């Protein structure tokens, strides 16, 4: 406060200095705005700027870790919700001699109201990647070729 009183009591002053126009008091943590202003003004980099930048990077890293953990948790919940559907589709799946299309799998598993044929590839992707299920092309009269699935 003494610096503010000194500055404001200068002769021929035409304005009052407030907020960020005042010189910073030492011992207080640097604000983000002050950090960016110091960079823009070309202030030489001192220990205070380095400390603030290091602290900001640590905060960003901590936020990133928390965000990734939250995303992984949500993904695990979604996969857990898809597991019963995946198991039902796998049980009705035919062997090598009997490939079935997505719509056929859904009908035979009794999931016509909960699963759409477009979502079957994403449901079966983990099984395809681990080699339990194979994707094959199935020729269907008057429709052409569609993707079919068989147990490996």
């Amino acid at each position: 406060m003494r610096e503010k009183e000194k500055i404001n009591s200068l002769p021929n002053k035409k304005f009052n200095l407030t907020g960020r126009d005042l010189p910073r008091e030492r011992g207080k943590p640097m604000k983000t705005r002050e950090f960016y202003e110091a960079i823009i003004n070309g202030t030489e980099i001192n220990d205070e700027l380095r400390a603030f930048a290091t602290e900001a990077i640590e905060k960003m890293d901590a936020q990133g870790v928390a965000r990734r953990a939250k995303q992984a948790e949500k993904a695990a919940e979604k996969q857990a919700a898809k597991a019963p559907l995946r198991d039902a589709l796998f049980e009705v799946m035919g062997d090598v001699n009997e490939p079935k299309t997505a719509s056929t799998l859904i009908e035979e598993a009794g999931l016509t109201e909960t699963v759409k044929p477009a979502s079957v590839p994403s449901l079966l992707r983990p099984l395809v990647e681990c080699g339990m299920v194979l994707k094959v092309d199935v020729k269907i009269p008057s429709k052409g070729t569609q993707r079919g699935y068989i147990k490996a």
Side-chain angles (χ1 to χ4, degrees), residues 19-105:
R20 66 174 190 241
D21 298 326
L22 293 173
R24 274 188 18 74
E25 294 179 25
R26 295 290 174 206
K28 290 187 176 180
M30 179 176 272
K31 306 284 190 244
T32 308
R33 181 178 193 86
E34 293 170 348
F35 176 73
Y36 291 135
E37 286 177 352
I39 292 173
I40 290 170
N41 296 333
T43 306
E44 69 178 66
I45 297 177
N46 57 19
D47 292 337
E48 186 180 10
L49 289 175
R50 284 190 186 99
F52 182 81
T54 304
E55 184 180 320
I57 288 172
E58 288 173 359
K59 282 182 185 177
M60 285 190 297
D61 290 344
Q63 289 172 347
V65 167
R67 186 181 339 85
R68 285 189 292 277
K70 196 174 201 179
Q71 288 173 345
E73 185 179 314
K74 284 183 181 180
E77 288 176 7
K78 286 182 181 179
Q79 289 300 324
K82 291 179 183 180
L85 301 174
R86 188 177 297 120
D87 293 340
L89 291 174
F90 185 72
E91 287 179 19
V92 297
M93 196 171 298
D95 60 356
V96 177
N97 298 328
E98 191 181 343
K100 295 184 180 177
T101 62
S103 55
T104 308
L105 284 172

Side-chain angles (χ1 to χ4, degrees), residues 95-120:
D95 60 356
V96 177
N97 298 328
E98 191 181 343
K100 295 184 180 177
T101 62
S103 55
T104 308
L105 284 172
I106 292 171
E107 288 173 11
E108 290 183 10
L111 301 172
T112 53
E113 294 180 13
T114 57
V115 179
K116 295 181 180 178
S119 63
V120 171

Side-chain angles (χ1 to χ4, degrees), residues 109-149:
L111 301 172
T112 53
E113 294 180 13
T114 57
V115 179
K116 295 181 180 178
S119 63
V120 171
S122 67
L123 284 170
L124 296 179
R125 184 173 296 123
L127 300 176
V128 171
E129 289 174 355
C130 73
M132 293 176 63
V133 174
L134 298 174
K135 290 193 255 183
V136 294
D137 290 332
V138 179
K139 291 184 182 180
I140 298 177
S142 73
K143 282 191 174 183
T145 305
Q146 289 187 350
R147 178 73 62 192
Y149 299 92

